[in-house]
Amino acid sequence: MEIRVEKLRKTFQSEGSTVTALNDVTLDVPDGTVTTLLGPSGCGKTTLLRCIAGLETPDSGTIRIGDTVVWSKDGSRTTSVTPDKRGIGMVFQTYAIWPHMTVFDNVAYPLQSQGVPRSEIPDRVERALKFVQLGGYGKRPATALSGGQQQRVSLARAIVSEPRVILFDEPLSNLDAKLREETRAELRDLLTRLAITSLYVTHDRFEALALSDDVVVMQSGNIVQRGSPDEVYFRSNTHFVVDFMGKANFLDATVKEPEHPGGHLLADTSVGPLLCETREGLSAGQRGQVAVRMEFLQVVDAADVPELPQNHVAATVTSAMFLGEYREVDLTAGDVKLVLRTPATTVLVPGQQVVVRFDPAGCRFITE
Ligand code: ATP
């Protein structure tokens, strides 16, 4: 079922000042899809999730789940459906499972509190446990499971009452790095099979990219970009989004030719003229930056390019860090610092003169 949030505003009073956690946020989460709210600490993502769940009261706006208005305030008229009547399942960061109960009792709890007939409960619990690949684990004490398994118990508990939507609040952040990666892949598979409208809060871009149909990037109580994982990563609109989605190079730049032959934009930058991906709405003379992610810079052997072609820049290696799967290399081109990745087998040493190729497909002119 679709979630629709319109002009949602939430402020907090904190130490005598007003913090705007949500600044008239409008968002829709289409039926059956996974949407991630991604952003740094304090950007408002948890507040938005908690408002939808009914755990926080907004100042104004509307929240709909399917055709039902679950919260709305317009002037003095307020509509509010209590959290337990909103048809929401929740999975929290701190699993929130009860350690003194068995796996079965943990998962059965929502059904018991909703008054589901006792005879129906065992089958429904076992179905939910099977779904998260914990069939037959019902009799175990909840604590006799690994962190990843405990998180799956909390997912089973969230889906057992067949909610209309599921909200996830940083569910993997308590797992160590390796387990988080494994559980992320399992969760992707579970969410695909579940095909239920899901809103997922995280500050981890890898999780957002791996799990979502749509990524919503938030900054200071506002949505600053929304799109598929590819769009948000490769077509980041602002410096903030480029930077938040991964390490990148930023070069001060001015648009020279907005429509250069070959379907590119030509920009004057601090390392010389660069062909960039075209962007509509830009005009000659406009100032901004060219943002280039590390993987769009390649080191070329200087001997192969005696005369520097377009989008090639002479640079000097300052350091190279071996990180197992690749090397991260810092360079200078005049006064400009650059960072890129090379295959682990490419060995570069400080002081080495190289040529760096800027792939136009990864050079993005940004104005904000
Ligand atoms: P995190 O990942 O750290 O949880 P977040 O993006 O989820 O961050 P929120 O928890 O939604 O951010 O907080 C948004 C803003 O509202 C922050 O500035 C936060 O300090 C403030 N805030 C949240 N809850 C309260 C509260 N109960 N009282 C006062 N201020 C609050």
Side-chain angles (χ1 to χ4, degrees):
M1 218 160 268
E2 186 189 26
I3 305 173
R4 279 194 64 77
V5 172
E6 272 164 49
K7 291 200 160 189
L8 203 68
R9 186 167 198 83
K10 173 67 184 171
T11 54
F12 291 104
Q13 300 306 321
S14 177
E15 293 168 6
S17 62
T18 304
V19 177
T20 306
L22 297 175
N23 188 15
D24 292 344
V25 167
T26 294
L27 170 75
D28 72 303
V29 183
D31 186 25
T33 63
V34 181
T35 298
T36 307
L37 297 175
L38 174 69
S41 183
C43 70
K45 51 198 190 300
T46 304
T47 303
L48 179 51
L49 197 82
R50 287 173 56 81
C51 287
I52 295 169
L55 304 173
E56 204 77 73
T57 307
D59 300 352
S60 56
T62 306
I63 304 170
R64 283 191 184 80
I65 298 177
D67 294 331
T68 317
V69 172
V70 294
W71 195 88
S72 143
K73 185 168 179 190
D74 188 3
S76 56
R77 272 194 51 192
T78 304
T79 309
S80 182
V81 175
T82 55
D84 58 315
K85 299 278 187 304
R86 292 190 184 191
I88 283 173
M90 275 204 81
V91 182
F92 297 94
Q93 183 173 12
T94 52
Y95 325 144
I97 58 174
W98 291 285
H100 58 282
M101 288 187 186
T102 61
V103 168
F104 178 94
D105 289 338
N106 265 281
V107 178
Y109 188 83
L111 298 179
Q112 286 157 352
S113 48
Q114 284 164 17
V116 170
R118 288 183 70 145
S119 57
E120 278 183 30
I121 291 178
D123 275 357
R124 286 181 64 173
V125 169
E126 191 54 25
R127 229 182 308 142
L129 285 174
K130 275 202 182 124
F131 190 83
V132 299
Q133 274 135 25
L134 288 175
Y137 279 68
K139 291 206 176 70
R140 288 233 195 152
T143 45
L145 295 176
S146 70
Q149 287 171 326
Q150 289 187 33
Q151 194 48 288
R152 280 193 266 151
V153 172
S154 63
L155 180 59
R157 193 181 49 194
I159 61 175
V160 76
S161 43
E162 296 169 8
R164 303 191 293 170
V165 303
I166 299 196
L167 308 179
F168 293 87
D169 189 5
E170 307 236 10
L172 306 185
S173 58
N174 273 347
L175 306 176
D176 68 46
K178 190 163 182 300
L179 189 57
R180 193 159 65 221
E181 239 176 75
E182 286 166 17
T183 314
R184 186 171 73 205
E186 279 172 16
L187 195 56
R188 168 82 248 185
D189 172 52
L190 284 171
L191 289 173
T192 310
R193 285 194 288 128
L194 201 56
I196 186 170
T197 312
S198 305
L199 188 60
Y200 191 105
V201 160
T202 183
H203 62 266
D204 179 336
R205 64 196 166 96
F206 295 111
E207 239 166 87
L209 293 174
L211 293 175
S212 327
D213 295 303
D214 259 330
V215 179
V216 172
V217 185
M218 291 187 69
Q219 179 187 17
S220 311
N222 294 291
I223 292 174
V224 286
Q225 191 167 358
R226 176 196 184 138
S228 68
D230 280 59
E231 266 164 15
V232 171
Y233 185 80
F234 291 118
R235 311 231 180 290
S236 305
N237 276 341
T238 65
H239 185 112
F240 171 83
V241 180
V242 175
D243 199 36
F244 193 75
M245 298 307 296
K247 230 170 175 175
N249 296 275
F250 295 95
L251 309 168
D252 289 338
T254 309
V255 176
K256 194 168 182 200
E257 292 176 38
E259 287 177 38
H260 188 79
H264 290 112
L265 171 151
L266 185 67
D268 268 330
T269 77
S270 38
V271 296
L274 284 180
L275 286 178
C276 303
E277 188 205 28
T278 43
R279 268 195 79 182
E280 282 177 17
L282 295 177
S283 47
Q286 205 161 343
R287 285 166 177 262
Q289 287 187 312
V290 170
V292 199
R293 296 203 180 285
M294 291 193 289
E295 62 268 34
F296 288 99
L297 295 184
Q298 290 118 26
V299 172
V300 181
D301 193 336
D304 292 346
V305 278
E307 280 184 40
L308 290 179
Q310 177 68 59
N311 276 40
H312 287 64
V313 171
T316 308
V317 175
T318 48
S319 69
M321 189 163 50
F322 178 49
L323 290 166
E325 291 131 351
Y326 56 86
R327 289 175 201 264
E328 196 169 302
V329 183
D330 289 315
L331 310 101
T332 49
D335 295 340
V336 178
K337 290 186 172 153
L338 299 173
V339 58
L340 53 78
R341 280 182 183 172
T342 61
T345 47
T346 306
V347 178
L348 296 170
V349 292
Q352 193 170 336
Q353 304 292 313
V354 294
V355 170
V356 176
R357 176 176 182 268
F358 285 67
D359 182 347
C363 294
R364 187 157 173 85
F365 197 96
I366 50 174
T367 52
E368 291 175 56

